Amino acid sequence: MENTSPRNFLEEIIEEDLNKGKNGGRVHTRFPPEPNGYLHIGHAKSICLNFGLAQKYGGLTNLRFDDTNPTKEDVEYVESIKEDIRWLGFSWDDREYYASDYFQQLYEWAEKLIKEGKAYVDDQSAEEISRQRGTITTPGIESPYRNRSVEENLDLFRRMRAGEFPEGSRVLRAKIDMAHPNMLMRDPIMYRIIYAHHHRTGDKWCIYPMYDYAHGQSDYLEGITHSICTLEFEIHRPLYDWFLDQLMDTEYRPRQIEFARLNLSYTVMSKRKLLQLVKEGYVSGWDDPRMPTICGLRRRGYTPESIRNFADRIGVARRDNVIDVSLLEFSVRENLNKRAIRRLAVLNPVKLVIENYPEGQVEYLPAVNNPEDPESGTRPIPFARELWIEREDFLAEPVKGFHRLFPGGEVRLKYAYIIKCERFEIDPQTGEVCTIYCTYDPQSKTGGATANRKVKGTIHWISVAHAHAAEVRLYDRLFNVPDPDDVPEGGSFIDHLNPNSLRVVSAYIEPALAEARQGEHFQFERLGYFFPDYDFTPEKPVFNRTVTLKDTWAKFAGK
RNA sequence: UGACCGAUGGUGUAACGGCAGCACAGGAGAUUUUGGUUCUCUUAGUCCAGGUUCGAAUCCUGGUCGGUCAACCA
């Protein structure tokens, strides 16, 4: 292989395995979500890794729902997870599996372990078992039921399965080592009794395998070669290997490899906290555009490509990391800059009157749809005597470095004329500027005699007579500190919620925008990238702000 | 006082015993009918102490700091 580009540690491992001819030279990965919540950007990292690695090495990736706990899981989540993976641009073809597909085989293997004296039924309560487990620095003690006969264990286990015992009364444990320094090896629980309806197996089972017993065997059954998971499962690896070694005598072996999960600044990522935001109404739902969920990002206007690029850029390693959210924002700006259709909109309008422009006259001026894409052409936009401009683009008393409109100053109206501010009026009620009066240079239109005159700034505008109203939702970071989880005693990440993470404004948009379609990405020139919300209708257009444009003036002015 | 894992600019991530590179962020400038884009330039880093070696981010030893583990969750 002559690929000299730097490789991450997963690629190194895979290439090493390939060179050694391990597992017949196959690469087969899996993405194993538990259907108990919505996927977020951290899952996207894992998805890109698992599918990306398989793609790179000519292998396959399975989708496997890890549904071993019927009390927590639900079909509702299965569909959303599939939709999100597809949307991200990956396909598992027909390899859609469920850990529950393997319940029968897992059960038979459990009997095999019992027969070999490697597993036993424990009659103790959860509390007793927990007490006997010892602590991190002291060994555990053995259960009084540990040395039951094979016959008794088998009988009890079969009766557990038959539903003869109440929930929580007995468990099946692997007989390993109660003094093992790794607590997970201290006779871990393999099966527990749960009388709950399973979303796939219904009421067929009342005993359910634990993650540790199910995962490695599921990998084995699917022919997975590289079982990639996050760092917190590292300590589970000896157990993953132990079961495989007891049960399998082939040369083929799936291998668990851990990587550091994604953390994002100004964001919380745990399912529990995300759920709390939804349940307690801090956001409108899992797909609230401020959520780091895949469906939230989608509604916000993020593109699959931008998320894949982001996943590439953040890399992968085994050290804990916090990615700056600005890298995510960079990724979406970069992608949207290339593809977003340019349109004009005024979010915070103030009226501007061009006194020497004929009353009643309307011109349709050509405006470029996307300067990054010469093929995209132009559309006509109506220009008239009365316009809306952005309130921030006028200052009665200009400050140093201000390139926009002020009394006596000139500015170019994008795609139109150069205007000069003659005077302005203040609303006596509010004390705010209400009307700005200008004159225009009739020769300064694109292609005109004075069109190339240098003026300091260019601003956008909307003809009052032709403006459509729209609701625009301005989103900002959900939290106002880089690490929302960093809270003093008794505090909560909720305390760090950004009160201005959503501002809804009534805006004026150019006529073409009223005809926007779902799924189209727009740049409102000089403002940012916007995406029609699911609530959008031609009668009542609603846009979500995906992200602002990079704004070096705001940065300067803010100092 | 346990086991396992980790430590490279502000944030990520490369280097496989031989010039510490790239991206984001930050800064300066050029271009620009978006204070966008693009293009230049630029600030800033190997946790500490020993050892091995002609040569150490890399190997060894010891420390320091951080993470994970005591659900019948995954």
Side-chain angles (χ1 to χ4, degrees):
Chain A
M1 215 171 275
E2 51 166 342
N3 184 1
T4 52
S5 68
R7 257 152 274 174
N8 63 51
F9 80 103
L10 293 169
E11 293 167 332
E12 281 179 13
I13 289 172
I14 290 173
E15 288 182 21
E16 199 179 308
D17 288 347
L18 252 20
N19 290 337
K20 286 192 291 203
K22 246 173 108 173
N23 299 326
R26 290 185 306 113
V27 173
H28 203 145
T29 59
R30 104 266 91 114
F31 176 64
E34 182 185 17
N36 73 341
Y38 288 81
L39 261 27
H40 54 59
I41 183 81
H43 293 109
K45 175 180 180 180
S46 173
I47 291 167
C48 291
L49 238 30
N50 276 296
F51 284 90
L53 251 13
Q55 266 166 24
K56 176 165 182 176
Y57 296 103
L60 297 169
T61 305
N62 295 355
L63 171 60
R64 179 167 75 234
F65 290 97
D66 219 332
D67 55 352
T68 56
N69 187 350
T71 64
K72 295 199 171 173
E73 295 144 10
D74 200 283
V75 266
E76 172 198 354
Y77 300 112
V78 171
E79 286 311 313
S80 75
I81 288 170
K82 291 200 284 190
E83 182 188 1
D84 288 348
I85 301 171
R86 266 189 231 109
W87 178 76
L88 278 174
F90 298 104
S91 171
W92 56 94
D93 302 315
D94 57 348
R95 295 179 310 283
E96 176 177 325
Y97 300 124
Y98 294 79
S100 54
D101 295 342
Y102 313 131
F103 281 175
Q104 182 60 35
Q105 175 66 74
L106 256 10
Y107 175 83
E108 284 164 23
W109 276 331
E111 283 207 352
K112 176 174 148 78
L113 289 176
I114 292 171
K115 288 170 187 162
E116 292 172 0
K118 293 169 181 165
Y120 63 96
V121 172
D122 196 330
D123 300 354
Q124 300 181 103
S125 68
E127 298 72 48
E128 284 169 311
I129 290 175
S130 166
R131 214 176 305 124
Q132 288 165 3
R133 200 164 348 246
T135 72
I136 239 154
T137 49
T138 59
I141 58 169
E142 296 186 352
S143 164
Y145 300 96
R146 194 173 200 262
N147 295 309
R148 286 220 252 234
S149 70
V150 167
E151 293 67 35
E152 191 183 3
N153 278 321
L154 211 48
D155 174 61
L156 255 12
F157 186 51
R158 285 173 179 167
R159 289 165 62 195
M160 277 170 64
R161 179 195 186 170
E164 290 187 27
F165 307 122
E167 193 161 304
S169 61
R170 286 183 166 84
V171 291
L172 183 71
R173 292 228 257 170
K175 192 190 279 191
I176 306 180
D177 178 3
M178 286 308 290
H180 198 106
N182 180 344
M183 305 254 329
L184 281 159
M185 299 294 274
R186 323 243 260 226
D187 289 11
I189 289 165
M190 293 169 60
Y191 273 94
R192 74 285 214 196
I193 300 169
I194 302 174
Y195 292 99
H197 191 81
H198 187 280
H199 73 111
R200 300 204 98 218
T201 61
D203 299 312
K204 186 176 176 199
W205 296 88
C206 63
I207 56 170
Y208 291 91
M210 299 285 289
Y211 165 86
D212 286 300
Y213 178 59
H215 205 91
Q217 279 60 256
S218 301
D219 284 342
Y220 185 89
L221 289 166
E222 291 177 19
I224 301 304
T225 56
H226 301 269
S227 183
I228 297 163
C229 62
T230 48
L231 238 33
E232 63 267 29
F233 291 98
E234 182 174 4
I235 202 152
H236 294 245
R237 184 164 14 107
L239 187 51
Y240 180 100
D241 291 332
W242 188 88
F243 282 122
L244 254 13
D245 287 343
Q246 309 309 311
L247 262 7
M248 318 303 175
D249 55 9
T250 56
E251 199 165 312
Y252 153 67
R253 205 51 32 124
R255 172 177 178 185
Q256 175 181 312
I257 311 164
E258 312 84 19
F259 70 93
R261 68 173 341 131
L262 167 67
N263 295 293
L264 258 191
S265 63
Y266 297 94
T267 310
V268 296
M269 207 72 92
S270 90
K271 269 184 196 169
R272 202 204 95 231
K273 290 182 183 127
L274 261 17
L275 181 67
Q276 188 180 344
L277 291 171
V278 174
K279 283 246 164 87
E280 296 179 9
Y282 296 109
V283 296
S284 64
W286 286 98
D287 67 348
D288 185 296
R290 292 165 292 180
M291 292 283 273
T293 48
I294 306 292
C295 53
L297 292 166
R298 178 165 61 230
R299 188 171 186 178
R300 174 95 168 234
Y302 274 73
T303 58
E305 189 181 5
S306 68
I307 294 176
R308 280 187 259 122
N309 290 345
F310 171 73
D312 276 347
R313 260 188 275 256
I314 60 177
V316 60
R318 285 175 64 84
R319 52 177 170 267
D320 291 330
N321 61 84
V322 183
I323 306 290
D324 196 324
V325 72
S326 66
L327 184 59
L328 216 212
E329 293 170 348
F330 167 80
S331 296
V332 74
R333 281 192 190 107
E334 173 196 54
N335 189 233
L336 257 16
N337 175 53
K338 280 184 252 160
R339 58 193 281 180
I341 303 157
R342 270 57 171 180
R343 291 290 184 259
L344 299 187
V346 174
L347 300 184
N348 186 15
V350 63
K351 188 175 284 186
L352 182 148
V353 178
I354 304 169
E355 294 179 292
N356 61 341
Y357 194 85
E359 279 190 57
Q361 178 172 314
V362 178
E363 287 181 86
Y364 285 86
L365 305 170
V368 174
N369 285 324
N370 183 354
E372 304 293 318
D373 176 12
E375 307 284 285
S376 67
T378 63
R379 85 281 179 190
I381 49 173
F383 181 85
R385 189 169 188 265
E386 295 197 351
L387 307 174
W388 296 115
I389 67 162
E390 214 69 65
R391 191 167 283 278
E392 290 78 33
D393 287 338
F394 176 80
L395 236 36
E397 292 174 40
V399 297
K400 183 172 151 286
F402 185 75
H403 292 172
R404 307 174 192 179
L405 199 58
F406 53 87
E410 277 191 323
V411 79
R412 185 187 303 275
L413 294 171
K414 180 92 181 177
Y415 304 124
Y417 300 93
I418 293 171
I419 55 168
K420 181 179 182 187
C421 174
E422 305 293 348
R423 62 201 169 84
F424 61 94
E425 269 173 16
I426 286 184
D427 180 336
Q429 303 297 141
T430 64
E432 286 192 326
V433 174
C434 58
T435 313
I436 300 161
Y437 294 95
C438 298
T439 52
Y440 82 118
D441 171 358
Q443 302 303 308
S444 62
K445 193 167 71 174
T446 305
T450 54
N452 294 328
R453 277 171 53 206
K454 291 290 173 203
V455 286
K456 286 173 297 184
T458 301
I459 65 173
H460 60 279
W461 50 272
I462 297 283
S463 162
V464 170
H466 304 85
H468 286 59
E471 174 177 319
V472 178
R473 301 174 183 166
L474 303 174
Y475 295 103
D476 200 352
R477 295 168 183 179
L478 228 201
F479 296 93
N480 50 27
V481 293
D483 182 7
D485 288 322
D486 182 22
V487 286
E489 282 278 324
S492 159
F493 72 103
I494 297 291
D495 304 339
H496 294 308
L497 243 16
N498 174 7
N500 301 315
S501 61
L502 169 59
R503 272 171 49 231
V504 180
V505 301
S506 301
Y508 289 117
I509 59 177
E510 65 164 289
L513 268 179
E515 291 155 30
R517 291 192 307 264
Q518 297 279 346
E520 284 184 313
H521 297 274
F522 297 97
Q523 183 196 101
F524 292 180
E525 293 210 43
R526 301 211 304 132
L527 296 172
Y529 295 99
F530 294 81
F531 190 63
D533 188 75
Y534 302 159
D535 296 342
F536 184 101
T537 63
E539 294 71 40
K540 191 198 179 224
V542 180
F543 291 92
N544 293 325
R545 183 171 70 193
T546 309
V547 67
T548 62
L549 253 28
K550 201 170 136 192
D551 189 348
T552 50
W553 166 248
K555 202 181 295 170
F556 174 80
K559 277 179 193 168

